[in-house]
């Protein structure tokens, strides 16, 4: 498989609480055969989970350390912690390629705009259905390639119409167990609200059950937020213990319609900024 720009391109799909959390996933094959893809090699994954306390947002850093360029991506960066994130990337000797969002956030301003200002070569990524600004728009079923690491784009609308979940590949050369970055679609023992940004409770229920709960039970699930100090869950856990999504669809809809949540305090600032990639100076946005 020939790579564009040496290491990145969008490919069609094949069939507690602390400011910085360090983790490293084992890449043991567990008896699986080595991938036969031409030019591919096993991913040497570097993974970091970072926390922004004001909005309780997790940002994720992934990199392929086995690739000569050490290409990396940030998922759901926050404007207030861009300095921390870029400093870590520099310390680790990584080449940041993508700044990705799972959706248009309403509770914080994405760090994507600031990152692009500081590192003009970085490409912003968001779903096409979000109708937000970005360098790259992804559609359901596409793969984002970071070195030899693949992130599959799975549509999980319902919290917002443009929500996606990024899932690591399932080949023998990919990390095991698989990892899914669920944004606000699925939280640990809960889910994102559905009463604004064209949210739809029934759509969210079907999205999670068809796109996330169908993954292997050992798949690690990393949400965009947690408010109780939890960091990670699995498909198997959520199928048993999720307080909302273990119900039938009608019960779930009734729960979501009666949450009585207040208007998000950052909504009027965050959403307009995030629709243009989080650029801080609205007057600088290019139409």
């Amino acid at each position: 498989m020939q790579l564009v720009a040496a290491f990145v391109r969008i490919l069609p799909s094949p069939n507690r609480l602390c400011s910085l959390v360090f983790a490293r996933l084992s890449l043991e094959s567990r008896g699986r055969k080595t991938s036969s893809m031409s030019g591919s090699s096993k991913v040497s994954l570097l993974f970091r989970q970072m926390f922004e306390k004001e909005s309780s947002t997790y940002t994720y850093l992934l990199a392929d350390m086995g690739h000569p360029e050490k290409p990396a991506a940030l998922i759901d960066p926050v404007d207030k912690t861009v300095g921390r994130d870029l400093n870590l990337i520099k310390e680790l000797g990584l080449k940041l390629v993508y700044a990705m969002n799972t959706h248009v956030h309403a509770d914080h301003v994405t760090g994507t705009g600031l990152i692009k200002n500081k590192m003009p070569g970085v490409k912003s990524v968001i779903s096409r259905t979000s109708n937000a600004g970005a360098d790259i728009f992804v559609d359901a079923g596409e793969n984002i390639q970071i070195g030899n690491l693949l992130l599959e784009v799975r549509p999980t609308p319902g919290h917002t119409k443009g929500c996606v979940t990024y899932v690591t590949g399932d080949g023998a050369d990919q990390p095991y167990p698989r990892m899914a970055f669920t944004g606000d679609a699925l939280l640990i023992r809960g889910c994102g609200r559905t009463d604004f940004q064209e949210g739809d409770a029934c759509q969210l229920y079907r999205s999670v059950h068809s796109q996330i709960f169908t993954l292997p039970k050992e798949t690690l699930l990393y949400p965009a937020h947690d408010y109780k100090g939890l960091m990670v869950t699995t498909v198997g856990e959520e199928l048993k213990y999720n307080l909302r999504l273990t119900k039938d669809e009608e019960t779930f809809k009734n729960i979501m319609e009666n949450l009585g949540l207040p208007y998000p305090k950052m909504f009027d600032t965050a959403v307009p900024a995030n629709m243009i990639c989080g650029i801080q100076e609205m007057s600088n946005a290019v139409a």
Side-chain angles (χ1 to χ4, degrees), residues 80-138:
K80 294 180 179 179
T81 48
V82 163
R84 175 202 66 187
D85 299 349
L86 296 186
N87 183 62
L88 177 61
I89 287 167
K90 181 179 179 181
E91 287 179 345
L92 296 175
L94 308 178
K95 183 171 184 177
L96 184 61
V97 179
Y98 293 134
M100 307 164 58
N101 282 293
T102 53
H103 64 291
V104 174
H105 300 274
D107 50 16
H108 68 271
V109 175
T110 178
T112 307
L114 285 176
I115 291 170
K116 285 175 60 60
N117 287 334
K118 294 175 180 293
M119 303 180 69
V122 175
K123 301 296 185 184
S124 57
V125 180
I126 201 165
S127 70
R128 191 182 307 278
T129 53
S130 70
N131 292 326
D135 297 311
I136 297 172
F137 300 104
V138 291

Side-chain angles (χ1 to χ4, degrees), residues 1-22:
M1 180 178 292
Q2 188 175 13
L3 297 182
V4 175
F7 54 87
V8 292
R9 67 171 179 168
I10 303 298
L11 297 174
S13 174
N15 181 62
R16 191 266 259 173
L17 216 50
C18 58
S19 62
L20 182 63
V21 180
F22 291 88

Side-chain angles (χ1 to χ4, degrees), residues 25 109 243 246:
L25 290 191
V109 175
L243 297 176
T246 52

Side-chain angles (χ1 to χ4, degrees), residues 104-109 196-197 266-276:
V104 174
H105 300 274
D107 50 16
H108 68 271
V109 175
F196 60 83
Q197 288 181 278
M266 283 289 294
F267 188 94
D268 293 334
T269 299
V271 172
N274 292 338
M275 288 297 292
I276 56 172

Side-chain angles (χ1 to χ4, degrees), residues 83-236:
R84 175 202 66 187
D85 299 349
L86 296 186
N87 183 62
L88 177 61
I89 287 167
K90 181 179 179 181
E91 287 179 345
L92 296 175
L94 308 178
K95 183 171 184 177
L96 184 61
V97 179
Y98 293 134
M100 307 164 58
N101 282 293
T102 53
H103 64 291
V104 174
H105 300 274
D107 50 16
H108 68 271
V109 175
T110 178
T112 307
L114 285 176
I115 291 170
K116 285 175 60 60
N117 287 334
K118 294 175 180 293
M119 303 180 69
V122 175
K123 301 296 185 184
S124 57
V125 180
I126 201 165
S127 70
R128 191 182 307 278
T129 53
S130 70
N131 292 326
D135 297 311
I136 297 172
F137 300 104
V138 291
D139 296 306
E142 288 185 331
N143 279 347
I144 300 168
Q145 186 162 350
I146 308 156
N148 290 308
L149 176 67
L150 298 179
L151 291 178
E152 177 191 351
V153 179
R154 292 198 172 201
T156 47
H159 170 62
T160 75
K161 69 174 183 179
C163 288
V164 294
T165 292
Y166 299 114
V167 185
T168 57
D170 62 353
D173 57 340
Q174 298 296 301
Y176 181 86
R178 297 179 75 180
M179 307 161 70
F181 301 91
T182 60
D184 288 17
L186 178 67
L187 305 179
I188 299 172
R189 308 299 190 261
C191 63
R193 61 195 294 175
T194 58
D195 58 335
F196 60 83
Q197 288 181 278
E198 300 182 76
D200 184 301
C202 291
Q203 186 179 45
L204 178 59
Y205 185 91
R206 296 166 189 168
S207 293
V208 171
H209 278 265
S210 64
Q211 299 296 321
I212 298 176
F213 283 173
T214 53
L215 289 164
K217 290 185 179 181
E218 67 270 20
T219 301
L220 299 171
L221 304 179
Y222 292 95
H225 304 281
D226 190 80
Y227 308 99
K228 297 180 180 179
L230 300 175
M231 296 159 54
V232 62
T233 183
T234 66
V235 170

